[in-house]
Amino acid sequence: MLYEKPNTMRPLRTDVLTMTPWFAPIVWNGTYNLDILNAQFHQREVRIGLTVFAIKKYTGFVQTFIESAEKFFMVGHKVTYYIFTDQASDIPAFTLRDGRKLAILEVPSYQRWQDVSMRRMEMIGDQSRLRFIHEVDYLVCVDVDMRFSDEVGVEILSDVFGTLHPGFYSASREQFTYERRAQSTAYIPKDEGDFYYAGGYFGGTVEEVYRLTNFCHNAMVADIEKQIEAIWHDESYLNKYFLYQKPTKILSPEYLWDNDFEVPGFLKRRRFVAVPKNHNAIRSRRALQGVSEAEGKFHR
Ligand code: 4GW
Ligand code: MN
């Protein structure tokens, strides 16, 4: 394999943070060589599971999601799509590339959308233990109201990874919408926190995803007993987990973007973007100083 020698005296990106203070890479275009990484992951014959939930009306997002993933997600690797749904008959049939499979997991629906969102943690945890551990090496767990619009490959894989929320990559600690009530298990004090991670994109080895989802689900159940629900649901518990169990890799907003946002110069690629949906009255917009209305919108 031929490629340019890394140059000790020349950083590949100087406009963005590419490494956390705990030495976890932050994945930006231009910081890695995909050919080298592909060779490493092919050598290990790595199998990747991609989980999404399509409950109630969200079955309508599945077709675009899968078709775009076939073009851009982990091309050339072994992939299994795991679609959790309450209406298996609404999931269309797909012709997949070689080495790729699709499994439908029938799960209950919840009346409140907050529960639909939060219970993902419990269901991913359960299936990690029962099924995923026997079938794949890594899991990538994402929202379904999205489409892939550029390559997403093995550069994202690591023991446990999170993704910078596109509305908060430049926000201050005080602006992060962590849970601020001390009674909640998701509580994060004003003077703590590294990044604001998105609820809709995390992953890692099956074992690490089990630990993460199990923590978030247990924290949520503990809160239910105290009759409190964290402000941004599963996202709040995920942010609490990552505060003390720091991710080993972090994906830049290239991996989770909303085309309603103005595209900043440092964002060289938009690999996975929100599919526009009606933000109706059910979805309260958060009021946030310093963060634009478009960015607030990202949070229902
Ligand atoms: C408001 O009426 C709703 S419905 C908010 C979320 C709903 C929902 C979410 C749903 O009815 N069915 C469903 O499968 N979901 C799953 O939860 C789906 O995978 C979705 O991507 C994920 C998170 O919800 P969301 O994408 O609407 O959240 P945001 O607006 O933060 O992207
Ligand atoms: Mn979403």
Side-chain angles (χ1 to χ4, degrees):
M1 194 195 302
L2 294 180
Y3 55 88
E4 209 182 317
K5 179 189 80 71
N7 185 340
T8 321
M9 296 299 126
R10 185 177 58 86
L12 292 163
R13 291 283 296 257
T14 52
D15 56 340
V16 287
L17 186 70
T18 61
M19 185 74 86
T20 69
W22 57 93
F23 283 141
I26 306 178
V27 188
W28 295 95
N29 187 57
T31 61
Y32 61 89
N33 180 325
L34 188 58
D35 297 332
I36 301 176
L37 292 170
N38 272 334
Q40 290 181 325
F41 281 82
H42 278 307
Q43 229 158 31
R44 291 163 51 199
E45 295 187 61
V46 161
R47 302 159 300 172
I48 302 130
L50 180 61
T51 74
V52 283
F53 286 73
I55 309 286
K56 293 185 260 193
K57 288 181 187 164
Y58 279 55
T59 52
F61 290 106
V62 171
Q63 182 148 9
T64 300
F65 180 90
I66 298 291
E67 286 176 359
S68 66
E70 282 294 289
K71 284 199 195 108
F72 295 118
F73 183 75
M74 302 285 172
V75 174
H77 293 274
K78 294 200 185 76
V79 171
T80 306
Y81 300 106
Y82 295 107
I83 303 182
F84 292 75
T85 185
D86 60 334
Q87 302 155 89
S89 59
D90 283 8
I91 307 299
F94 296 97
T95 312
L96 304 176
R97 293 193 195 216
D98 261 13
R100 303 170 79 98
K101 292 183 259 190
L102 187 147
I104 294 175
L105 294 91
E106 287 237 46
V107 292
S109 165
Y110 288 88
Q111 217 169 9
R112 295 172 64 242
W113 65 259
Q114 293 89 340
D115 291 321
V116 169
S117 187
M118 284 195 294
R119 291 282 168 173
R120 292 185 289 176
M121 294 296 189
E122 178 181 31
M123 295 188 233
I124 294 169
D126 286 349
Q127 292 303 316
S128 293
R129 192 162 36 81
L130 294 169
R131 177 167 184 176
F132 300 155
I133 192 73
H134 304 296
E135 299 186 0
V136 294
D137 302 300
Y138 290 94
L139 286 170
V140 178
C141 308
V142 297
D143 270 12
V144 76
D145 56 341
M146 304 289 299
R147 68 183 164 82
F148 291 89
S149 52
D150 202 346
E151 297 172 314
V152 173
V154 296
E155 75 278 1
I156 71 170
L157 300 178
S158 187
D159 282 358
V160 58
F161 65 86
T163 303
L164 299 183
H165 191 297
F168 297 90
Y169 58 81
S170 64
S172 67
R173 257 185 190 154
E174 298 68 51
Q175 288 173 328
F176 289 163
T177 53
Y178 294 147
E179 175 56 60
R180 301 300 189 182
R181 292 166 296 175
Q183 313 91 277
S184 170
T185 46
Y187 171 63
I188 298 178
K190 283 279 180 199
D191 54 355
E192 290 186 56
D194 304 297
F195 301 103
Y196 191 77
Y197 302 98
Y201 204 144
F202 63 86
T205 60
V206 177
E207 194 179 338
E208 287 295 335
V209 168
Y210 175 75
R211 289 199 182 116
L212 179 159
T213 52
N214 191 50
F215 170 91
C216 291
H217 177 63
N218 289 341
M220 184 201 85
V221 169
D223 273 5
I224 290 173
E225 276 158 21
K226 290 184 274 184
Q227 295 184 25
I228 190 166
E229 182 172 275
I231 178 165
W232 291 108
H233 321 106
D234 39 304
E235 186 169 84
S236 304
Y237 300 107
L238 178 71
N239 273 279
K240 181 64 176 275
Y241 184 75
F242 279 152
L243 176 56
Y244 300 120
Q245 306 291 325
K246 304 232 191 267
T248 56
K249 197 175 260 188
I250 294 179
L251 309 187
S252 73
E254 291 174 13
Y255 291 88
L256 183 54
W257 192 252
D258 187 322
N259 283 328
D260 284 357
F261 299 175
E262 201 181 301
V263 180
F266 59 80
L267 199 80
K268 306 298 182 202
R269 301 172 84 166
R270 286 171 280 164
R271 304 167 190 266
F272 189 53
V273 299
V275 171
K277 58 181 189 275
N278 287 330
H279 288 269
N280 54 34
I282 305 167
R283 297 165 166 226
S284 59
R285 294 178 176 207
R286 73 168 85 185
L288 238 171
Q289 323 116 311
V291 178
S292 75
E293 172 71 3
E295 288 165 325
K297 178 222 98 163
F298 211 93
H299 270 108
R300 308 192 244 273

